[in-house]
Amino acid sequence: MADGWVVPIVAGLLGLTIGSFLNVCSLRWPRNESVVSPGSHCPRCDAAVRWYDNVPVLSWLVLRGRCRSCAAPISAQYPMVELATGLVWAGTFAAHGATGEALRGSLFLTILCGIAISDTRFYTIPDQFSIGGAVLGFGLSFAPGGPTWLQSLLGAVVGFSVLWLVGVAGTKLIKRLSPGRLEEAGVDQAMGGGDVKMMMMIGAFLGIWGVALTVFLGSVLALLGTAVLSALGRIPGISKWLVPFGVFLAAGGAVTYAWGQQILEWYTTSVLGL
Ligand SMILES: [Zn+2]
């Protein structure tokens, strides 16, 4: 019985460490900074973070969210992302055991998490996550489990094309129906290029059906999310016309990875009656 806990616990500890690195990547890549050097340092007093102050989650709790040298507050995002990534790895390895599929799923969900952070904070999805992730997803399709390499390739092409077309059509529509709206938001197209490349990555991991379900779920979540934000009034840091669509696509992709099969089966039998 105890054996059943070893794999998720080891994966969870690994996930905590990967979450720590994910914080660095998702905050530095959007600004074209190196994730290797300089090492972690306090943005206010520039003091280097010692290894014992860099233990995932624990260090933040011990330091009570403050820099050891100057007591500047350290964002709660750091321990939260570390914890979330740890739970993702533990959960995925609990579901799939010590298999290649567990590794593939954990990497996919970690990339989605990084995209959500970058898109929320900077309205940018770094190519390292999207293009790099697409290459990774395609490469992993040659391992057993998950989509075949052909399904992965087609998923990537369809994911890219669908969102590119939606973006082109959306831009034309908005320019006709509501001239000046895009300028007001400070963009020149309805769909960010990052979202298009991100969907290519999701297609490489999930195949064509995964793309369809992700776009559907992501759009529903984006509509709900925007409605809630509008109802709550303006939220500082969230632009009125600029929705970080990648965040909702990331959520849609995660749900599709975890429950997509069940959702599609439920839809075909209960709704379509096949
Ligand atoms: Zn400091």
Side-chain angles (χ1 to χ4, degrees):
M1 190 62 207
D3 286 0
W5 290 99
V6 174
V7 168
I9 286 174
V10 172
L13 291 175
L14 181 63
L16 286 172
T17 317
I18 289 169
S20 187
F21 187 54
L22 186 66
N23 272 315
V24 178
C25 295
S26 51
L27 296 179
R28 289 193 186 183
W29 277 341
R31 293 180 282 193
N32 291 317
E33 293 171 2
S34 162
V35 294
V36 184
S37 69
S40 299
H41 58 275
C42 170
R44 191 206 271 174
C45 72
D46 227 30
V49 178
R50 307 296 178 87
W51 67 267
Y52 49 81
D53 287 339
N54 216 358
V55 180
V57 183
L58 282 181
S59 289
W60 191 88
L61 292 174
V62 168
L63 294 169
R64 280 172 297 174
R66 298 193 167 273
C67 167
R68 188 184 285 278
S69 308
C70 73
I74 305 168
S75 168
Q77 179 201 309
Y78 291 98
M80 281 164 60
V81 168
E82 287 158 358
L83 192 61
T85 314
L87 289 174
V88 158
W89 281 68
T92 311
F93 273 83
H96 296 283
T99 60
E101 180 55 30
L103 181 65
R104 200 182 75 90
S106 298
L107 289 170
F108 175 59
L109 295 170
T110 301
I111 293 171
L112 291 181
C113 185
I115 288 176
I117 302 166
S118 295
D119 206 19
T120 311
R121 296 285 298 267
F122 303 101
Y123 287 108
T124 290
I125 298 171
D127 286 345
Q128 287 91 335
F129 286 133
S130 56
I131 296 178
V135 172
L136 182 68
F138 181 64
L140 289 171
S141 70
F142 290 93
T148 64
W149 70 267
L150 186 59
Q151 288 168 333
S152 171
L153 185 65
L154 290 174
V157 170
V158 169
F160 185 95
S161 314
V162 165
L163 241 66
W164 184 78
L165 282 172
V166 168
V168 170
T171 305
K172 284 209 163 123
L173 201 65
I174 292 174
K175 278 188 172 158
R176 179 166 305 170
L177 296 179
S178 179
R181 173 65 59 86
L182 290 174
E183 287 76 6
E184 198 179 335
V187 294
D188 54 7
Q189 52 198 1
M191 182 78 68
D195 298 321
V196 177
K197 286 178 272 181
M198 170 193 185
M199 225 33 241
M200 174 175 74
M201 183 281 288
I202 290 181
F205 272 94
L206 300 181
I208 294 176
W209 281 107
V211 166
L213 191 53
T214 300
V215 172
F216 172 73
L217 292 173
S219 306
V220 171
L221 289 172
L223 284 174
L224 287 175
T226 315
V228 169
L229 287 182
S230 315
L232 292 173
R234 284 204 62 169
I235 294 201
I238 298 219
S239 158
K240 201 170 173 188
W241 302 119
L242 216 51
V243 178
F245 192 39
V247 176
F248 299 104
L249 283 177
V255 171
T256 300
Y257 176 75
W259 299 289
Q261 208 63 41
Q262 286 94 315
I263 294 174
L264 285 174
E265 274 165 24
W266 169 81
Y267 184 76
T268 45
T269 53
S270 304
V271 180
L272 297 179
L274 295 175

